[in-house]
Amino acid sequence: PAVSRRLACGDVEGRLDALFGRVRAVQGKSGRFDMLLCVGSFFGSTSEAEWAEYRTGAKKAPIPTYVLGANDQETVSYFPDVSGCELAENITYLGRRGLYSGTSGLQIAYLSGTEAQDEPAPAYSFSAKDVTELKMSLLSTPNFKGVDILLTSPWPRDVGTFGNSAGEIDTKKCGSNLVSDLAASLKPRYHFAGLEKAYYERLPYRNHTVLQETPQHVSRFIALADVGNTSKKKYLYAFSIVPMSSMDPAELVKQPQDVTENPYRKSRKEAQKTKAPLCAEEEPACQFFFDLNKHQGKKRPSDGKERGNSQPKQAKKPPQPTGPCWFCLASPEVEKHLVVSIGTHCYLALAKGGLLPDHVLILPIGHYQSVVDLSAEVVEEVTKYKSALKEFFRSKGKRYVLFERNYRSQHLQLQVVPVPLDHCTSEDIKEIFIAQAQEQQIELLEIPEHSDITQVAQPGTPYFYVELDTGEKLFHRIRGRFPLHFGRWV
């Protein structure tokens, strides 16, 4: 299928020469792009002189350029036709809202303006009715799976939830709830927005509920800064995309390593809660223990009393695995004969194919991908298991080396390998790890003793981590490939 190369751009605010100069430079360096999509305010209060040259044809845009409408009263007059029109050669206003389908089959949904605060909505705003009509027109098409690109000027409210930080921008206060609702329904593969004069590329997020719905493609939200800003924030974004309609379905739904939960699910649930009482999927989570004396794998739910319900956070369910998981205790795949001990939130098991007969794993009962994703009560229990193991191994004349690889793994496994105390000091162990890492061009850094791994790694970031029973820690942020058996091999 044809790959199309696109550029997206933040608020232009009438700086057309600066923008098109930059586009020419980019095309000179990396070849032709098919189109430029502009979000945010295309015109500013001082656009008149520069714009006149493009409008009269004295100057021409070097690439087909598609823009959204006005975000304030001052610039409304630049857009003569609300349903979209050509503004100058190669510069097209998409219109108030709708779907633009390119010749390649690429589908671009767009919504112009900012969210209206009152009715009737001014000419530069959209209302809930606009959003509902746009959603309905698309969702009613047969086999609707989502759109390739969504263009809005405001950010979606709460887009940062479950994701990486948006810097100074507080995503709980910034942007539009209607845009979040639109993005949640239209499932764009790319969603671009502007207006905040900031660049923010959110980690990709899922469009399906794991284990409850069949996997769907992920969405990427990218906010762009304003053209020619003095702080050199990114305002032009280049990307290649194959239209969803001509992609192999299996290829389309591939989940990248750093995918996160959907940021809008929570706000939509809250909206539903106000309409309806607790529905089944929102019932408080139930903690399951295994009673290994009874029939294999019978569950007995705990009543939650011994968990001390002081923190409201505790009813949060761990995320669900995307497929069969070998380590979720509730899963038939778990080899129960290897389980040594079961706590409230974690369990201890012998390693299958351990390096030594007493090589063990500490694992969370629920499905968590890495230490960084754990909730406070799980971390507390992991710490208890660590100190119990330290004491146990020390009584046998050994010290442990613990390592975790959050890369191509779906369930957190803390590998705990005992080493004879008289065999090597903790300094020796660190030196061996660092030397072997250097040979593989891996940079292992020591983390200060009292700092925590969550201070150096964001949820979703791949990493490799070593901890000695003295509390000393080594850390490597995985950026490309990483040898899967590095820890075992060292």
Side-chain angles (χ1 to χ4, degrees):
V3 176
S4 65
R5 300 175 75 224
R6 308 281 151 135
L7 289 168
C9 164
D11 306 77
V12 180
E13 295 184 333
R15 298 184 198 101
L16 300 166
D17 291 347
L19 168 65
F20 293 135
R22 183 71 200 283
V23 168
R24 282 190 185 93
V26 169
Q27 297 208 94
K29 209 157 71 183
S30 48
R32 212 179 67 78
F33 283 82
D34 304 312
M35 61 162 63
L36 167 65
L37 304 166
C38 300
V39 291
S41 298
F42 188 69
F43 294 107
S45 47
T46 55
S47 309
E48 212 28 71
E50 264 194 55
W51 175 237
E53 298 187 282
Y54 288 88
R55 201 184 55 230
T56 57
K59 287 183 178 169
K60 184 188 159 185
I63 183 173
T65 303
Y66 293 85
V67 310
L68 293 177
N71 294 304
D72 52 43
Q73 193 55 54
E74 286 184 279
T75 52
V76 168
S77 57
Y78 286 100
F79 303 95
D81 182 350
V82 290
S83 56
C85 55
E86 190 173 76
L87 300 177
E89 190 180 352
N90 253 358
I91 301 178
T92 305
Y93 164 45
L94 286 162
R96 277 195 62 168
R97 56 160 204 262
L99 183 71
Y100 173 85
S101 295
T103 45
S104 63
L106 202 68
Q107 296 211 306
I108 304 172
Y110 56 89
L111 178 67
S112 284
T114 52
E115 182 175 327
Q117 298 313 311
D118 17 53
E119 293 286 336
Y124 54 85
S125 289
F126 55 83
S127 64
K129 187 165 161 271
D130 287 305
V131 170
T132 306
E133 284 175 14
L134 178 53
K135 274 167 43 177
M136 287 310 147
S137 66
L138 290 166
L139 297 177
S140 60
T141 52
N143 304 327
F144 177 79
K145 285 193 184 70
V147 295
D148 290 302
I149 298 170
L150 172 62
L151 306 176
T152 62
S153 289
W155 288 27
R157 176 71 55 90
D158 285 327
V159 66
T161 308
F162 309 124
N164 44 328
S165 153
E168 299 89 272
I169 307 284
D170 180 353
T171 59
K172 289 186 171 60
K173 296 195 175 80
C174 138
S176 153
N177 283 318
L178 288 176
V179 170
S180 307
D181 180 37
L182 185 65
S185 299
L186 297 192
K187 302 173 186 168
R189 290 161 67 203
Y190 283 91
H191 177 183
F192 295 100
L195 295 187
E196 300 296 331
K197 302 203 176 343
Y199 166 65
Y200 171 48
E201 184 167 351
R202 192 201 182 285
L203 289 170
Y205 62 83
R206 286 189 201 96
N207 280 303
H208 61 281
T209 306
V210 178
L211 283 187
Q212 292 175 20
E213 298 169 307
T214 49
Q216 297 177 40
H217 60 272
V218 300
S219 292
R220 297 169 192 278
F221 171 75
I222 294 140
L224 294 163
D226 47 325
V227 169
N229 67 82
T230 48
S231 30
K232 301 245 187 310
K233 292 179 188 158
K234 184 165 172 163
Y235 65 81
L236 196 62
Y237 182 92
F239 64 110
S240 298
I241 185 168
V242 173
M244 200 187 295
S245 53
S246 51
M247 269 183 84
D248 167 31
E251 198 55 40
L252 178 65
V253 303
K254 273 197 176 150
Q255 304 292 304
Q257 182 66 34
D258 54 357
V259 67
T260 77
E261 204 44 65
N262 190 310
Y264 314 125
R265 190 141 278 150
K266 190 172 81 25
S267 46
R268 296 185 98 190
K269 268 193 171 175
E270 276 160 15
Q272 286 163 3
K273 266 186 199 167
T274 52
K275 288 180 204 150
L278 268 188
C279 61
E281 69 169 325
E282 284 160 326
E283 276 173 5
C286 189
Q287 181 76 42
F288 285 110
F289 298 117
F290 277 80
D291 198 341
L292 294 181
N293 312 327
K294 293 202 185 139
H295 316 291
Q296 262 337 82
K298 265 282 163 50
K299 291 179 182 174
R300 79 168 201 273
S302 85
D303 54 6
K305 282 199 186 91
E306 66 272 43
R307 289 188 312 171
N309 293 329
S310 53
Q311 291 160 296
K313 239 180 68 182
Q314 288 177 329
K316 211 171 95 185
K317 285 188 196 170
Q320 296 299 311
T322 43
C325 178
W326 298 97
F327 301 104
C328 278
L329 199 45
S331 139
E333 275 81 15
V334 169
E335 312 223 20
K336 307 244 167 30
H337 63 283
L338 296 172
V339 174
V340 176
S341 152
I342 300 176
T344 313
H345 304 287
C346 303
Y347 70 101
L348 199 65
L350 287 168
K352 192 179 173 187
L355 292 161
L356 298 155
D358 46 2
H359 171 179
V360 290
L361 310 178
I362 305 173
L363 304 126
I365 290 174
H367 187 77
Y368 292 95
Q369 185 164 337
S370 76
V371 164
V372 184
D373 299 313
L374 296 180
S375 56
E377 65 266 32
V378 187
V379 170
E380 196 185 330
E381 201 169 285
V382 167
T383 312
K384 284 185 185 163
Y385 266 124
K386 282 186 200 166
S387 55
L389 285 170
K390 174 178 175 171
E391 217 175 303
F392 167 72
F393 284 132
R394 289 280 169 123
S395 74
K396 302 271 183 255
K398 299 171 188 179
R399 67 169 76 241
Y400 74 64
V401 179
L402 176 149
F403 60 89
E404 179 201 356
R405 183 192 81 233
N406 180 29
Y407 172 70
R408 301 219 173 151
S409 58
Q410 63 154 340
H411 191 110
L412 163 64
Q413 301 155 59
L414 296 175
Q415 310 271 347
V416 185
V417 183
V419 178
L421 275 170
D422 53 14
H423 193 68
C424 44
T425 65
S426 66
E427 280 311 302
D428 296 339
I429 296 174
K430 280 197 303 196
E431 273 169 36
I432 294 165
F433 262 103
I434 291 167
Q436 298 295 339
Q438 274 169 345
E439 256 180 51
Q440 305 263 339
Q441 270 110 39
I442 294 166
E443 183 186 33
L444 263 183
L445 302 171
E446 187 152 357
I447 311 177
E449 261 184 64
H450 299 292
S451 73
D452 186 340
I453 181 167
T454 53
Q455 293 163 337
V456 288
Q458 286 277 338
T461 9
Y463 61 81
F464 176 78
Y465 168 71
V466 182
E467 187 180 312
L468 306 184
D469 71 0
T470 51
E472 293 157 281
K473 309 176 179 84
L474 300 171
F475 176 82
H476 166 64
R477 160 90 170 83
I478 299 175
R479 295 186 191 282
R481 298 182 67 85
F482 185 80
L484 293 183
H485 297 298
F486 178 71
R488 293 178 68 94
W489 179 66
V490 172

